[in-house]
Amino acid sequence: MKFQSPRGTEDVLPSDSYRWVHLETTFRRIASQFGYLEVRTPTFEDTNVFLRTAGDTSEVVTKQMYTFIDKGDRSITLKPEGTAGVVRALIQGNLIQQGKVLRASYITPIFRYERPQKGRLREAHQFGLECIGTQNVRADAEIIIATHAFYEAIGIKSTVVKVNSLGQEECQSRYRQVLLDFAMPLLSEGTPEALEAARKNPLRLLDSKDPAMIEALAKAPSILDYLEPESKGRFDELQRLLTGAGVPFEIDPKIVRGLDYYSETVFEVQSTLLGSQSALCGGGRYDGLAKELGGPVTPSVGVGMGVERALIVLEELGVELPRLAEPVYVGAMVDGGIDAAEEVARTLRRTGRSALLDFEPRKAPKLIARAEEAGAQWLVLIGEDELASGSAAVRNLQSREQVVVRREEVAQWFAHSSR
RNA sequence: GCGGGUGUAGCUCAGCGGUUAGAGUGCCUGACUGUGACUCAGGAUGUCGGGGGUUCAAGUCCCCUCAUCCGCCCCA
């Protein structure tokens, strides 16, 4: 019986894993440069963790969760997003204290039961940053600046961050009504489902792709006109901070986000290279979330970045990512030389090099070909002559230059003579 | 969850009712008994995604199913 990976999941094979490693390494570097410490939380949580936070109107929660009852009769859900689990863990660990700012980062799989497409999987991976415990708008800016720094670092240059403000609860509810009124003539002609969806979350009307809806809402006011003075002030300040930090952004009142817990600042980085999907990452402020999880009121802001989506964009852009350190390929041309080759490999490893031993004796052209396949820059080979004289031939596969070195000095030779 | 496309050798694809299923490329072996892209000579590989049906005959037609891609939806 032959099996394949479940629908909407992907294997990362050896030929590709270096790309993942590079992204993870870069993310960890950026996170650490901003002082965000990594947290790891379970892959699954009590279903209520997500029901309480992501909102019972969001599509993610109502239709896309991987939920099941375990043998202890508990309702369990594979996490559909990263933030709720992290906040739950910080509350549980008593790390949230008034007046203290916590900076946390994470790398996690996320699960959503959706129809797979380019850039949309059932198991995907996210890098996330959360700045927890402050209302200061500088935290909002910091998250966006770090996000931008990450994309620059991996080679997705000139991203534009789309920012918006959803204001406070009162502002949002007033604006929802306004939107609904604008859309109602059109909605009443449409399907009952669409009407119901619009009632539940009118803000989502804003990113509709239906031309008629876009036209109907063209005359609708922007949510930005409904912001309280305080929210307006925050948003202006955020823009000043981003400008100061040299982060390109544009204001987009259509950014509303799919999870219900956001207020005030929301943002996305989008790309047209993702097919039918658009968001490379998304984030915003979630001041009410911790309280929903039984913790203290804890104003916070964060971002979740899609790993697979970043990889797609890098691929489309033709960005070459650095490979892991190339090994030195070590082989012998005669059976009796393999012991000697193994010994050379061992000494190379002791000095921090990676060495790849060929288990079989092969003729020189074959060894060279195998070494190239393995991604090696160097070949150390031992033939009959070398075996007899206690030496080894060291060949640079790029320049095709070759020198003969005494076997016990190969490691030192690499330490001093190779670049 | 809705609509559409695709699924033949490791990879890219041809074959569109009729003998033992093909090409290019890659791979393996050898020409060259110690040095890389060429040349030459051999060689291996396919449950034609899976199941069922129609037919004298199916990779080719029909149905179901799985996977994948595109649009809608959703968003990482």
Side-chain angles (χ1 to χ4, degrees):
Chain A
M1 186 65 190
K2 207 171 167 183
F3 291 100
Q4 55 191 175
S5 57
R7 180 165 207 208
T9 64
E10 282 180 345
D11 299 314
V12 180
L13 298 175
S15 56
D16 269 340
S17 53
Y18 77 98
R19 308 178 77 225
W20 282 76
V21 171
H22 180 250
L23 258 54
E24 287 164 3
T25 306
T26 306
F27 171 72
R28 289 197 165 102
R29 193 190 84 225
I30 299 282
S32 138
Q33 282 172 346
F34 282 80
Y36 287 68
L37 301 182
E38 188 162 338
V39 297
R40 303 185 191 200
T41 69
T43 302
F44 54 85
E45 294 277 353
D46 184 321
T47 299
N48 289 314
V49 168
F50 306 113
L51 288 183
R52 293 295 297 272
T53 57
D56 46 16
T57 68
S58 74
E59 182 110 352
V60 169
V61 167
T62 55
K63 296 183 181 163
Q64 300 178 345
M65 294 208 303
Y66 269 92
T67 298
F68 60 97
I69 304 296
D70 75 4
K71 296 186 186 203
D73 214 27
R74 291 170 279 254
S75 180
I76 296 293
T77 295
L78 304 184
K79 50 183 161 182
E81 58 99 25
T83 303
V86 169
V87 173
R88 192 231 82 228
L90 297 178
I91 293 170
Q92 183 176 336
N94 279 318
L95 293 175
I96 295 183
Q97 297 166 34
Q98 217 175 7
K100 291 271 172 72
V101 176
L102 273 170
R103 290 179 170 91
S105 74
Y106 61 84
I107 296 179
T108 183
I110 60 167
F111 303 87
R112 294 182 194 173
Y113 194 88
E114 296 191 85
R115 186 137 168 186
Q117 242 180 71
K118 183 179 185 180
R120 191 169 82 182
L121 296 163
R122 290 185 173 177
E123 180 185 29
H125 296 79
Q126 274 189 4
F127 295 154
L129 298 171
E130 311 289 353
C131 186
I132 290 159
T134 176
Q135 211 161 13
N136 196 314
V137 69
R138 286 182 187 274
D140 306 43
E142 180 172 282
I143 289 287
I144 294 173
I145 291 164
T147 299
H148 180 256
F150 171 72
Y151 287 121
E152 288 284 311
I154 61 174
I156 302 180
K157 306 284 185 185
S158 54
T159 54
V160 175
V161 183
K162 300 204 170 186
V163 296
N164 189 23
S165 176
L166 302 177
Q168 303 277 344
E169 181 50 41
E170 316 85 72
C171 152
Q172 275 188 41
S173 59
R174 272 192 296 146
Y175 182 65
R176 284 202 185 93
Q177 192 54 51
V178 173
L179 261 190
L180 209 48
D181 290 347
F182 262 85
M184 198 45 81
L186 197 60
L187 285 171
S188 54
E189 293 165 19
T191 63
E193 291 80 21
L195 179 60
E196 180 59 23
R199 279 230 167 82
K200 276 186 171 170
N201 191 349
L203 290 183
R204 230 178 281 142
L205 290 167
L206 286 172
D207 56 5
S208 167
K209 285 173 190 167
D210 176 13
M213 184 56 72
I214 292 170
E215 199 197 322
L217 294 181
K219 287 166 256 128
S222 157
I223 190 166
L224 297 175
D225 301 328
Y226 282 74
L227 294 182
E228 307 286 344
E230 191 195 329
S231 297
K232 178 80 168 63
R234 285 185 70 87
F235 195 45
D236 290 343
E237 178 65 1
L238 176 66
Q239 292 168 48
R240 189 187 72 81
L241 292 168
L242 293 179
T243 304
V247 175
F249 68 91
E250 53 189 58
I251 297 166
D252 187 346
K254 290 187 175 59
I255 300 293
V256 294
R257 308 297 307 138
L259 303 170
D260 291 356
Y261 53 62
Y262 289 113
S263 60
E264 301 282 4
T265 305
V266 288
F267 67 93
E268 282 181 13
V269 172
Q270 301 182 345
S271 170
T272 54
L273 301 172
L274 292 170
S276 190
Q277 321 308 314
S278 58
L280 205 45
C281 72
R285 180 156 279 282
Y286 51 91
D287 293 343
L289 190 148
K291 188 144 190 280
E292 287 299 322
L293 292 174
V297 173
T298 311
S300 306
V301 55
V303 62
M305 299 178 260
V307 180
E308 284 86 352
R309 289 189 181 179
L311 288 169
I312 287 171
V313 170
L314 287 167
E315 178 88 53
E316 301 273 341
L317 291 174
V319 175
E320 294 273 344
L321 300 179
R323 310 226 162 210
L324 302 176
E326 295 97 354
V328 175
Y329 198 90
V330 186
M333 299 176 62
V334 290
D335 208 25
I338 297 188
D339 279 350
E342 198 274 337
E343 198 181 326
V344 169
R346 231 183 309 139
T347 60
L348 282 167
R349 294 185 192 118
R350 270 205 287 273
T351 60
R353 284 257 168 188
S354 41
L356 205 166
L357 176 70
D358 196 326
F359 299 138
E360 307 289 339
R362 296 180 202 284
K363 291 172 190 166
K366 272 283 178 280
L367 283 175
I368 291 169
R370 297 286 165 131
E372 292 232 297
E373 277 168 31
Q377 289 275 351
W378 295 90
L379 169 65
V380 173
L381 72 80
I382 293 167
E384 226 165 336
D385 298 347
E386 289 83 0
L387 187 59
S389 66
S391 61
V394 178
R395 185 180 182 83
N396 183 320
L397 294 172
Q398 271 183 348
S399 66
R400 303 188 178 201
E401 286 160 10
Q402 185 167 314
V403 295
V404 174
V405 181
R406 288 185 43 205
R407 212 136 67 220
E408 61 270 26
E409 288 170 0
V410 169
Q412 288 126 281
W413 185 89
F414 270 100
H416 301 303
S417 307
S418 75
R419 65 177 172 81

